[in-house]
Amino acid sequence: MNRNTACPHIEPRGYKSGVKPVWCPGCGDFGVLGSITKALSGLQIRPESTAIISGIGCSSRMPTYLSTYGFHGVHGRALSLATGLKVARPDLTVIATGGDGDGFSIGGNHFLHTCRRNTNMTYIVLDNQVYGMTKGQASPTTEPNWEKGKLTPSGTGINPFQPLVVGLASGANFIARCSSSDSNGTARTIMEAIRHPGFSMVQVLSPCVTFRPEQREWKKLVQPAPVEATSDAAQAARRLLTDKGLFTGILFRGSRPPYQPELKSSIENIAELEEEFCL
Amino acid sequence: MSRQSLSIALTGSGGSGVMTMGNMLLEAVAKAGWYGIMTRSAGPQIRGGEAAALIRVSNMPIESHDDSFDLVLAIDPASMGRFVAEIPLRPDSFVISDPQGGRRSSSLPESPAKVIDLPMKELAKSVKGGRPNMIALGAIASVIGLSETSIFAILKTMLESKGADALGASRTCVQAGFAAGADLLEFNTPQMQQDTDTQRWGITGNEAAGLGAVRGGVRFVAAYPITPATEVLEWMAGVLPSVGGVLVQAEDELASINQIIGASFGGLPSLTATSGPGLALMTESIGLAVCSEVPVVVLDVMRCGPSTGIATKTEQSDLNIALNGLHGDAPHLVLAPSSITDCVFTTQWAVHLAESLQAPAIVLSDQSLGQTRAIMNRPADITFMARRSVPAQSAGYVEENYTRYAIGDSGVSPMAIPGQPGGQYTADGLEHSQSGAPSSLPEDHLAQLDKRQHKISQFNYGEHWADIEGSGELAVISWGSTCGPIREALARMRDQGQEIRLIAIRLLAPERPSEMAAALVGVKRLLVVEQSHSRQFHRYLRAAYDLPDETRVLNRPGPLPFRPAEIMARLDDWGEGTGS
């Protein structure tokens, strides 16, 4: 663990744990790891005051590679772990990371309700439209006609999940899309997401070069959204429903107050609580 | 002083005010200086269906219902049919029922009790805004010898918020009922005035478990409603803010368990409460708490299973899943309170153990404990507080080379709390090395399995692992709510001069072989009592402990409670052979 004792300024590499990632060479997730360290360095958030929370999947390995506090939990429950931590410890910067399967399939219910609850934290979804760790099955964001998934050799035949549309409808307070190929741009967006109050979601298109090699083309196809971020949910919905999923940038900035029950410091004597039982 | 008690059942259709009336009656007998319990029995209907309030009052603290009921008051006679099995009657029992609205004979074909008519609906009609349950309350009060003024006082405190008209109507009804009850029947209420020096409480098992949790230091609760555990969560929602805590209503049980793991990782002692279906959903993540060594407490208020089962009725059939539901080798704690009073102690102890051992603790309460309100002596203060080992800091930093999952003598390694500089680590459900980095090496797996087993096994649980009461060659072994009727049965047998022992296990996991061996010294005959169809507890005992050759089993599924007399009968009629 890096102690960061000598110098108050922490470089991006100071946020790396030194554990070697399990990812395949060329995986988009390396870029996102770099973007997260740049964002944390950019904001100069202390590693001991930061917690990276994840579930299961390739991208869910993220916490181990960072020098912050971390929790690598079970499949699909990252947002629940993160919610409990943030409500209990509002002083911490809490960031959940994970993939499209973890977040939108097995963890779909938590995604809906975490958007709705609007707890002040950031959710970075590394979307590669495939289950990589289990070696190439269709995920909720896979196109219906992708025929290379062994569980769905004729394609899924069902429409992909639209994370940002669903996030917006469910109440996410900040919505952005990035590409892992643009490390600095992604870092800037993550900084904005962390700064923005409430639940911020950042979808990062992060190619799986092993099972979806065609995604290497993403870096040529993505382009900055031609419009500025809006705070109008209706306008954001129209844009999200009409884009092809390849526009990047901050797409929505809401102004709903975050969910944060007050943790009082003045503590009543337990004996006073017990009075209600006395006869 | 010998035990004297009076058992009263109030039945009606759902919404007829049976529970309100029961609560008022219990409050009145409490004010009059008696002890008592009231168990709610209801169908799953939100409104409608049938409901019964089962009340027993006594001159001394009680934990169980009696063998039979002395008095039944049926507001809707037709509703009684549903409760025939739950309300055993004797030839000298009385049933007061309304001649209007269904014939009791069809609903109580076998009842030996004397039936007495009381036209509650008609009497209520004569009062503007009057309700039959208040007529019934007055009548019962009169029959059992409570004063009219004592009921008026209860009405005032419990109905004041409903306005002067409602209070006035209830008062008039109680008066009418009281007058009607005066010469309704000859009933000898036992003398039950007790000494009123002891501080007494009125509390349900669910509230008691919540209180134990708060006393133990729980400050974060995630909640998903489920019968019959919801009241634990509702009570805690009310009190947590005043002790610096918080309750979050989660979207499902998967979220509840993970939220409490997240909050506990952040340093707050955390709990969730649920019932069987919720526990089943949580088991994967309880394994996460085992592997990542994060303390949490899961309170399971058991009901009849499997599946939705009978959601509103009690059973001891979640023992298997609590002990063995986790995949992999996953040492954890399983505890069970054996009375409503013990719900305070055991839940508080569970928090202490979970925090001390950085492990999940499952507490098995059940519907009959959770939804019974008791008038009891105030439980003793206990000093257990959440005590988690955290790494020391010097000059603001955790010592160099801090390793979260270091192998040490006790198996418990200091757990850094986010915010502690230099303590950063990743808690992981993946097997890991001592530093917490994921590892698939066999030696790391073995070392961490040993660590997690060792910390649970070697801990000194002291005398609290079980209550050993009495002595003798004949013993009963049980756990949870069935200990209530057993304790009463054994007390009666001891009064008759028999020596008999009770082993009421509080700590079900980890097993305590040497303590159990000591508890069984001299026992020649052992009766296992449990409320499970497949004898889950007996199987557990056989797997974990050496039992006497002459071990027999008295078991049945929920929801019908064991009666003290049937336990006595089983012990008297030991018989030959190995059957049960």
Side-chain angles (χ1 to χ4, degrees):
Chain A
M1 292 291 147
N2 290 331
R3 297 177 62 84
N4 304 308
T5 52
C7 176
H9 186 86
I10 309 169
E11 294 297 323
R13 66 175 176 278
Y15 291 91
K16 287 197 177 167
S17 70
V19 174
K20 189 173 172 290
V22 293
W23 300 320
C24 308
C27 177
D29 294 358
F30 285 104
V32 185
L33 171 60
S35 299
I36 292 173
T37 62
K38 284 176 197 165
L40 292 173
S41 175
L43 293 169
Q44 284 298 297
I45 304 172
R46 303 293 305 178
E48 67 269 18
S49 305
T50 308
I52 312 287
I53 312 295
S54 69
I56 295 294
C58 297
S59 52
S60 295
R61 292 290 184 120
M62 196 66 79
T64 306
Y65 308 139
L66 293 158
S67 67
T68 62
Y69 280 91
F71 208 132
H72 181 213
V74 297
H75 199 19
R77 318 290 165 225
L79 291 175
S80 301
L81 283 173
T83 298
L85 178 60
K86 182 65 187 182
V87 171
R89 292 291 306 277
D91 56 307
L92 301 174
T93 299
V94 176
I95 301 170
T97 66
D100 35 301
D102 187 74
F104 308 136
S105 191
I106 190 169
N109 195 33
H110 309 306
F111 173 59
L112 298 182
H113 291 277
T114 309
C115 291
R116 186 169 77 88
R117 200 176 280 118
N118 197 30
T119 309
N120 186 14
M121 59 192 192
T122 301
Y123 185 30
I124 303 171
V125 186
L126 295 81
D127 190 349
N128 58 10
Q129 304 175 352
V130 74
Y131 285 93
M133 190 153 267
T134 50
K135 304 203 174 7
Q137 298 77 26
S139 88
T141 52
T142 302
E143 319 83 281
N145 58 354
W146 184 67
E147 296 184 350
K148 293 193 175 144
K150 291 197 187 81
L151 289 176
T152 53
S154 311
T156 65
I158 51 179
N159 280 343
F161 186 85
Q162 298 191 55
L164 302 189
V165 178
V166 176
L168 180 73
S170 306
N173 213 29
F174 177 101
I175 291 173
R177 188 187 290 122
C178 304
S179 167
S180 64
S181 58
D182 177 13
S183 178
N184 289 332
T186 301
R188 282 193 297 274
T189 302
I190 292 172
M191 286 169 66
E192 291 290 311
I194 293 171
R195 279 204 201 107
H196 194 81
F199 183 70
S200 301
M201 79 173 284
V202 181
Q203 178 194 28
V204 188
L205 300 173
S206 179
C208 175
V209 294
T210 302
F211 298 104
R212 304 296 310 263
E214 68 279 15
Q215 291 173 348
R216 288 179 191 274
E217 297 303 306
W218 273 354
K219 65 177 170 226
K220 295 180 200 151
L221 299 172
V222 292
Q223 50 181 301
V227 289
E228 291 294 302
T230 175
S231 58
D232 176 0
Q235 193 178 25
R238 268 194 303 280
R239 288 180 190 168
L240 289 169
L241 285 164
T242 51
D243 89 1
K244 295 276 185 277
L246 293 164
F247 283 137
T248 58
I250 298 165
L251 303 164
F252 176 69
R253 289 174 189 272
S255 54
R256 279 206 304 140
Y259 171 82
Q260 183 59 59
E262 186 193 3
L263 287 156
K264 287 185 199 153
S265 51
S266 63
I267 289 179
E268 200 175 300
N269 192 328
I270 296 202
E272 285 172 33
L273 297 181
E274 296 179 351
E275 275 171 23
E276 72 167 281
F277 302 122
C278 295
L279 290 171
Chain B
M1 187 169 53
S2 67
R3 186 194 308 272
Q4 295 186 43
S5 76
L6 174 62
S7 294
I8 304 166
L10 312 173
T11 73
S13 54
S16 64
V18 160
M19 296 304 169
T20 306
M21 176 187 163
N23 280 325
M24 287 178 170
L25 190 61
L26 192 71
E27 187 77 10
V29 299
K31 288 271 195 283
W34 297 345
Y35 292 97
I37 53 176
M38 179 181 117
T39 303
R40 289 160 49 181
S41 182
Q45 298 86 353
I46 308 305
R47 291 279 185 266
E50 293 85 29
L54 308 175
I55 299 174
R56 186 183 184 197
V57 299
S58 175
N59 60 333
M60 55 173 66
I62 42 169
E63 296 174 14
S64 151
H65 284 285
D66 206 344
D67 302 324
S68 55
F69 284 79
D70 302 293
L71 193 57
V72 179
L73 196 145
I75 294 180
D76 300 298
S79 67
M80 269 198 73
R82 178 71 78 96
F83 298 105
V84 167
E86 287 178 58
I87 307 175
L89 297 172
R90 305 179 309 270
D92 63 340
S93 307
F94 291 99
V95 175
I96 301 173
S97 80
D98 201 318
Q100 200 187 330
R103 282 320 301 173
R104 55 198 175 263
S105 52
S106 60
S107 47
L108 280 177
E110 306 294 330
S111 173
K114 295 191 196 93
V115 180
I116 291 165
D117 286 342
L118 178 66
M120 290 170 267
K121 289 192 183 70
E122 203 178 294
L123 284 168
K125 263 186 208 153
S126 63
V127 179
K128 185 165 178 275
R131 298 195 59 197
N133 67 328
M134 291 296 118
I135 302 282
L137 179 63
I140 281 276
S142 162
V143 166
I144 68 170
L146 289 168
S147 74
E148 210 174 7
T149 50
S150 72
I151 303 293
F152 290 159
I154 305 287
L155 289 183
K156 193 165 163 14
T157 45
M158 294 178 79
L159 294 180
E160 191 138 51
S161 61
K162 306 225 171 192
D165 287 351
L167 183 58
S170 293
R171 236 180 110 99
T172 311
C173 282
V174 165
Q175 245 165 346
F178 201 86
D183 44 23
L184 202 57
L185 57 109
E186 284 294 316
F187 191 79
N188 293 321
T189 303
Q191 270 305 312
M192 292 194 290
Q193 199 67 30
Q194 58 106 42
D195 82 275
T196 47
D197 293 345
T198 318
Q199 172 68 63
R200 287 173 312 137
W201 277 13
I203 191 169
T204 66
N206 277 343
E207 290 165 341
L211 175 63
V214 172
R215 276 188 176 184
V218 166
R219 295 297 178 265
F220 183 93
V221 172
Y224 190 75
I226 184 168
T227 304
T230 309
E231 300 91 358
V232 179
L233 301 163
E234 289 178 341
W235 185 80
M236 296 193 86
V239 304
L240 277 170
S242 64
V243 294
V246 61
L247 179 142
V248 179
Q249 182 174 338
E251 57 271 25
D252 56 29
E253 286 93 344
L254 304 166
S256 301
I257 182 71
N258 281 282
Q259 285 188 14
I260 68 169
I261 293 170
S264 179
F265 170 74
L268 289 196
S270 300
L271 170 144
T272 188
T274 188
S275 190
L279 181 65
L281 284 173
M282 290 177 189
T283 50
E284 181 197 20
S285 297
I286 296 174
L288 172 64
V290 170
C291 191
S292 59
E293 300 196 48
V294 175
V296 289
V297 177
V298 178
L299 173 68
D300 171 14
V301 185
M302 296 181 289
R303 63 193 217 187
C304 296
S307 191
T308 311
I310 310 176
T312 51
K313 308 228 176 191
T314 199
E315 196 167 74
Q316 292 181 318
S317 52
D318 290 349
L319 180 63
N320 279 352
I321 187 176
L323 290 168
N324 304 312
L326 310 188
H327 65 275
D329 291 311
H332 62 284
L333 300 149
V334 180
L335 301 94
S338 69
S339 68
I340 292 172
T341 307
D342 196 31
C343 287
V344 181
F345 175 87
T346 296
T347 313
Q348 184 172 353
W349 193 38
V351 179
H352 170 78
L353 292 178
E355 290 286 323
S356 300
L357 294 168
Q358 299 174 20
I362 299 172
V363 178
L364 296 175
S365 175
D366 65 27
Q367 184 270 334
S368 77
L369 290 172
Q371 295 192 327
T372 294
R373 176 169 294 280
I375 309 299
M376 63 188 207
N377 289 328
R378 180 186 186 279
D381 286 317
I382 312 144
T383 51
F384 295 129
M385 280 297 290
R387 221 170 278 128
R388 194 184 297 187
S389 168
V390 297
Q393 285 177 220
S394 63
Y397 285 85
V398 171
E399 57 196 7
E400 198 95 44
N401 301 321
Y402 167 70
T403 42
R404 167 67 185 97
Y405 300 105
I407 309 292
D409 290 342
S410 70
V412 176
S413 47
M415 177 177 178
I417 303 300
Q420 282 194 287
Q424 295 100 292
Y425 74 102
T426 294
D428 209 321
L430 274 175
E431 191 56 280
H432 39 260
S433 67
Q434 296 189 47
S435 72
S439 171
S440 55
L441 295 175
E443 55 269 31
D444 281 332
H445 184 43
L446 178 61
Q448 293 296 321
L449 283 169
D450 281 345
K451 175 187 191 290
R452 295 188 291 258
Q453 180 65 61
H454 181 61
K455 68 177 181 181
I456 301 272
S457 304
Q458 61 74 41
F459 188 79
N460 180 8
Y461 297 92
E463 61 186 8
H464 303 304
W465 75 280
D467 289 341
I468 319 287
E469 296 159 13
S471 59
E473 295 181 349
L474 178 60
V476 178
I477 189 165
S478 194
W479 68 287
S481 64
T482 50
C483 294
I486 296 169
R487 285 194 171 104
E488 182 156 339
L490 270 46
R492 291 185 199 171
M493 293 173 80
R494 289 186 195 115
D495 284 348
Q496 295 163 9
Q498 289 196 60
E499 272 195 89
I500 189 156
R501 195 180 306 192
L502 170 66
I503 303 170
I505 304 184
R506 182 177 288 109
L507 184 69
L508 292 152
E511 296 147 10
R512 301 282 84 200
S514 57
E515 287 90 336
M516 181 64 86
L520 285 169
V521 165
V523 173
K524 297 219 166 75
R525 290 182 295 162
L526 182 69
L527 181 67
V528 179
V529 182
E530 62 172 310
Q531 200 176 32
S532 137
H533 185 258
S534 64
R535 301 182 175 188
Q536 296 184 12
F537 182 57
H538 183 224
R539 287 163 187 250
Y540 153 80
L541 290 174
R542 289 183 64 193
Y545 300 116
D546 292 327
L547 303 179
D549 291 342
E550 275 207 68
T551 296
R552 305 282 167 81
V553 186
L554 173 60
N555 74 298
R556 69 155 167 265
L560 293 183
F562 288 101
R563 304 282 172 192
E566 79 178 297
I567 293 161
M568 292 168 73
R570 185 66 191 79
L571 289 165
D572 283 341
D573 180 26
W574 192 258
E576 299 298 316
T578 56
S580 58

